[in-house]
Amino acid sequence: MKSLMLVVLGNTEISTVPGISVAGATPELTKLTPPADAEYLFYEKPKIIDVIPVTPDGHPTPAIITKAARELANFPLMIVRGGTYLAPLVPHVHISDYVGRDFRKGPALQEAEEIIARARLFGEELSNTPIEELVIGESTPGGTTTAQAVLWALGYEARTSSAAPNNPQSLKEEVIKAGFERAGIKPGDFKEKPLEALKQFGDPMMAAVVGIALGFKGKVVLAGGTQMLAVAALLKALEEDMSRFMIATTKWVVNDRSATFIDTAKDIGIITYAADLDFSKSEFKGLRDYENGYVKEGVGAGGATWLAVKAGFSPEDVSRKVDELYRRLMELKAT
Amino acid sequence: MKSLMLVVLGNTEISTVPGISVAGATPELTKLTPPADAEYLFYEKPKIIDVIPVTPDGHPTPAIITKAARELANFPLMIVRGGTYLAPLVPHVHISDYVGRDFRKGPALQEAEEIIARARLFGEELSNTPIEELVIGESTPGGTTTAQAVLWALGYEARTSSAAPNNPQSLKEEVIKAGFERAGIKPGDFKEKPLEALKQFGDPMMAAVVGIALGFKGKVVLAGGTQMLAVAALLKALEEDMSRFMIATTKWVVNDRSATFIDTAKDIGIITYAADLDFSKSEFKGLRDYENGYVKEGVGAGGATWLAVKAGFSPEDVSRKVDELYRRLMELKAT
């Protein structure tokens, strides 16, 4: 296969603000979600913790979709540590161990340019291989809040999605407004200063994906929901030609009326693909609830499905495989 | 290019035994050599330390050859941290931070199988990409001593080479004999127990290269001198088909009468390539001394030259480029 999938891991302190992120059973456990997601893609269960990441209500990580698509299409995968508390216990490309800080208290990512420079080197090396397409997913709890902050700073009237069925938009906006107040700026003030937007409000995942995308000269599929809108907006502000980029996400993000995925993608000028996954007939409530707005996307689920579809599988095949993987998890749990 | 070069970094406590390694200005500085070599391949000088690695007499690291070949042929490169004291300050694939221990005092690498398993996963992913050939170099101070110990344990009557013009064979043999005594074994006792040989006497570079080579199913060029003989012997003992492997080294290793490169390669049954580099006309004594037995090989110098030759450059082109790089270093130093 001429495509390579990357999953870029990031942490931001923002995920521990109560109510912001459901990408973990508790706010504190969101710190472990990126490495645990990465490990689950390679093994039957994570290593750093004994269970797969779940929401507080027990809905399984979207890594299960990525893993299912990969079991079908067998595409190559590399994990990239953009910046996390802990290293995943699988081989991974180390970019940094910088964690995004709470932007209400100070700049989020002073090291943004260093991360970009390193990630860019990695992207340049990949560019010299026969790999023609990168599909870049992410695992970054709290990342829709940093994404919305960056989009606002760049002047987009965007609302990002959420892994919760009730998008905590008012809390997100409150947090972002506190951040803008701290930085002394108004929405749009960093329209022409993308690196400043990233430094003040971003997270290490964004910086790493921007860097890789700058270094790699082929086609880049940004595999994620509204978080990848922020990455795309940064790339555009950095004057990259948007025609080699695409966002691949899931229908659950596109259908989220609390967010502005399609409108913001149009504003940015990036084409999108939405994986038509349907979990309504799953035998497991944890998966059927995806149809009720839980989880929606993450760990490159939409992009992995895109790769499976390109390899000749249908979204139904992926959905069936997800059920099978979930059954395997339940059996592991039972033993 | 359908080839990817990897440089695997390893440390072993053996490098700090006085007199064993000249891969650093002092025994203690050999700990920094692997990350500094890696950084020099990407930048004008290392980051972790302000100067390139040199022998105690000031002879430059063979990374200068690898860098020269790469500037000509522009092959893609990834650094792999097999197991080192410090992480290199460039993007790299993290396998482990385990360092090989002094095998006179106890087993060298209890974690050998864990390193192999992780590295194998990475090799498997590369196997799914369109990359057809891996060229795997290494930077492992003290590594010719661990290599000779492993070769002896596997039953080869081998003498490994050295970066010093006067190969410290009697010191190496004394150290190895102390190790065999500690482990209670005789040469050849681990003939059919390659993993035990690796655990008792190896280093993390060997374990990582073995793992990658097991996972990657295409052609693998082991880019190094007598250290790669140990890796090849391990792969053979693990019952790999040797026809997909080759060792690429330099003529300086092949011509080293204190070592048994060609004979041992024949015993193992692996084909070899020797880069015909000639530094006798260099304007710099530090490089001309390569012709007098200094340095000889390392950081995949021979394999990088192999890639440059395949891309249409001559060994003379590489030698000239090495001179140019050395001049750049001297100019940096002067400013």
Side-chain angles (χ1 to χ4, degrees):
Chain A
M1 183 170 283
K2 304 235 170 197
S3 303
L4 170 67
M5 178 149 194
L6 303 176
V7 172
V8 178
L9 311 182
N11 277 122
T12 159
E13 289 174 1
I14 291 289
S15 76
T16 60
V17 176
I20 279 284
S21 173
V22 296
T26 67
E28 201 54 29
L29 277 176
T30 60
K31 294 180 178 177
L32 294 185
T33 296
D37 275 339
E39 291 159 10
Y40 177 52
L41 293 178
F42 284 91
Y43 299 107
E44 285 300 295
K45 59 180 183 177
K47 298 191 148 227
I48 211 162
I49 184 172
D50 197 41
V51 290
I52 62 162
V54 291
T55 67
D57 300 324
H59 302 92
T61 169
I64 198 169
I65 300 171
T66 311
K67 188 178 175 82
R70 186 163 130 84
E71 291 210 357
L72 293 173
N74 199 28
F75 49 79
L77 170 70
M78 285 189 201
I79 303 300
V80 178
R81 185 182 183 189
T84 54
Y85 291 103
L86 295 166
L89 300 176
V90 286
H92 61 274
V93 177
H94 178 94
I95 300 293
S96 95
D97 53 10
Y98 301 130
V99 166
R101 281 164 298 278
D102 184 341
F103 56 63
R104 295 172 303 181
K105 299 174 186 163
L109 198 62
Q110 301 273 23
E111 307 87 351
E113 287 177 73
E114 187 183 339
I115 296 175
I116 289 176
R118 287 197 199 170
R120 185 178 190 139
L121 277 184
F122 174 59
E124 284 168 359
E125 295 309 314
L126 291 178
S127 226
N128 277 341
T129 72
I131 292 162
E132 292 173 2
E133 178 184 69
L134 292 184
V135 176
I136 313 181
E138 56 69 44
S139 174
T140 320
T144 62
T145 302
T146 48
Q148 186 163 313
V150 165
L151 286 165
W152 282 18
L154 293 172
Y156 295 91
E157 285 182 36
R159 288 190 311 278
T160 55
S161 188
S162 165
N166 298 309
N167 191 344
Q169 263 297 328
S170 61
L171 174 59
K172 273 190 206 173
E173 295 185 9
E174 186 188 303
V175 167
I176 294 167
K177 279 172 185 161
F180 278 33
E181 209 156 290
R182 186 271 310 156
I185 69 145
K186 295 184 311 298
D189 275 5
F190 289 153
K191 200 178 169 69
E192 274 145 39
K193 293 180 183 165
L195 292 180
E196 198 54 33
L198 185 54
K199 255 187 225 178
Q200 291 296 332
F201 307 111
D203 60 54
M205 177 283 288
M206 288 181 203
V209 178
V210 164
I212 294 167
L214 290 174
F216 186 78
K217 297 306 176 197
K219 190 175 173 193
V220 176
V221 177
L222 301 169
T226 45
Q227 290 176 249
M228 286 302 177
L229 290 174
V231 172
L234 288 165
L235 288 166
K236 188 184 185 188
L238 289 165
E239 300 185 343
E240 283 295 296
D241 172 5
M242 296 311 283
S243 69
R244 69 185 178 95
F245 300 112
M246 170 177 123
I247 296 184
T249 188
T250 65
K251 68 158 201 204
W252 300 304
V253 169
V254 171
N255 294 343
D256 178 3
R257 283 157 193 263
S258 72
T260 60
F261 180 75
I262 291 291
D263 288 345
T264 308
K266 274 191 193 144
D267 286 351
I268 296 167
I270 187 165
I271 58 166
T272 61
Y273 161 84
D276 195 19
L277 296 162
D278 183 351
F279 289 178
S280 63
K281 291 177 199 106
S282 169
E283 54 176 295
F284 302 104
K285 181 170 186 307
L287 292 170
R288 284 197 305 274
D289 273 350
Y290 271 61
E291 299 298 331
N292 300 321
Y294 285 91
V295 187
K296 296 189 187 78
E297 165 65 291
V299 199
T305 304
W306 153 260
L307 284 173
V309 167
K310 285 210 298 179
F313 299 92
S314 67
E316 293 72 41
D317 293 332
V318 176
S319 302
R320 258 192 304 274
K321 183 58 99 173
V322 168
D323 251 38
E324 184 188 319
L325 291 185
Y326 200 69
R327 201 173 309 119
R328 257 154 60 187
L329 280 172
M330 293 299 109
E331 284 162 9
L332 269 183
K333 222 173 166 181
T335 57
Chain B
M1 183 171 281
K2 304 234 170 199
S3 304
L4 170 67
M5 178 149 194
L6 303 176
V7 172
V8 178
L9 311 182
N11 278 122
T12 159
E13 289 174 1
I14 292 289
S15 76
T16 60
V17 177
I20 280 283
S21 173
V22 296
T26 67
E28 201 54 29
L29 277 176
T30 60
K31 293 180 178 177
L32 295 184
T33 295
D37 275 340
E39 291 158 10
Y40 177 51
L41 294 177
F42 285 91
Y43 299 106
E44 285 300 295
K45 59 180 184 177
K47 299 193 147 225
I48 211 162
I49 184 172
D50 197 40
V51 291
I52 62 162
V54 291
T55 68
D57 299 325
H59 301 92
T61 170
I64 198 169
I65 301 171
T66 311
K67 188 178 176 81
R70 186 164 129 85
E71 290 209 358
L72 293 173
N74 199 27
F75 49 79
L77 170 70
M78 285 188 202
I79 303 300
V80 178
R81 185 182 183 189
T84 54
Y85 291 102
L86 295 166
L89 300 175
V90 286
H92 60 274
V93 177
H94 178 94
I95 301 293
S96 95
D97 53 9
Y98 300 130
V99 166
R101 280 164 297 278
D102 184 341
F103 57 63
R104 295 172 304 180
K105 299 174 186 163
L109 198 62
Q110 301 274 22
E111 308 86 351
E113 287 176 74
E114 186 183 339
I115 296 175
I116 290 176
R118 287 197 200 171
R120 185 178 190 139
L121 277 184
F122 174 58
E124 284 169 358
E125 295 310 313
L126 291 178
S127 226
N128 277 341
T129 71
I131 292 162
E132 292 173 2
E133 179 184 68
L134 292 184
V135 176
I136 313 182
E138 57 69 43
S139 174
T140 320
T144 63
T145 302
T146 47
Q148 186 164 314
V150 165
L151 285 165
W152 283 18
L154 294 173
Y156 295 90
E157 284 182 37
R159 289 191 311 280
T160 54
S161 188
S162 165
N166 297 308
N167 191 343
Q169 263 297 328
S170 62
L171 174 59
K172 273 190 206 173
E173 295 185 9
E174 187 188 302
V175 167
I176 294 168
K177 279 172 186 162
F180 278 34
E181 209 158 289
R182 187 270 310 155
I185 69 145
K186 296 184 310 297
D189 276 5
F190 290 153
K191 200 178 170 67
E192 274 146 40
K193 293 180 184 165
L195 292 179
E196 198 55 32
L198 185 55
K199 255 188 225 179
Q200 290 297 332
F201 306 111
D203 60 53
M205 177 283 287
M206 288 181 203
V209 178
V210 164
I212 294 167
L214 291 174
F216 186 78
K217 297 305 176 198
K219 191 175 172 192
V220 176
V221 177
L222 301 169
T226 45
Q227 290 177 248
M228 286 302 177
L229 290 174
V231 172
L234 288 166
L235 288 167
K236 189 184 184 187
L238 290 166
E239 301 186 341
E240 283 295 295
D241 172 5
M242 296 310 282
S243 69
R244 69 186 177 95
F245 299 111
M246 170 177 123
I247 296 184
T249 188
T250 65
K251 68 158 201 204
W252 300 304
V253 169
V254 171
N255 294 342
D256 178 3
R257 282 156 192 264
S258 72
T260 60
F261 179 76
I262 291 290
D263 288 345
T264 307
K266 274 190 193 143
D267 286 352
I268 296 167
I270 186 165
I271 58 166
T272 62
Y273 161 85
D276 196 19
L277 296 163
D278 183 351
F279 289 177
S280 63
K281 292 177 199 107
S282 169
E283 55 176 295
F284 302 104
K285 181 170 187 305
L287 292 170
R288 283 197 305 275
D289 273 349
Y290 271 62
E291 299 297 331
N292 300 320
Y294 286 90
V295 187
K296 296 188 187 77
E297 166 65 292
V299 199
T305 304
W306 154 261
L307 285 174
V309 168
K310 285 210 298 179
F313 298 92
S314 67
E316 293 72 40
D317 293 333
V318 176
S319 302
R320 259 192 304 274
K321 183 58 101 174
V322 168
D323 251 37
E324 184 189 319
L325 292 185
Y326 200 68
R327 201 173 309 119
R328 258 154 58 186
L329 280 172
M330 293 300 108
E331 284 162 10
L332 269 183
K333 222 173 166 181
T335 57

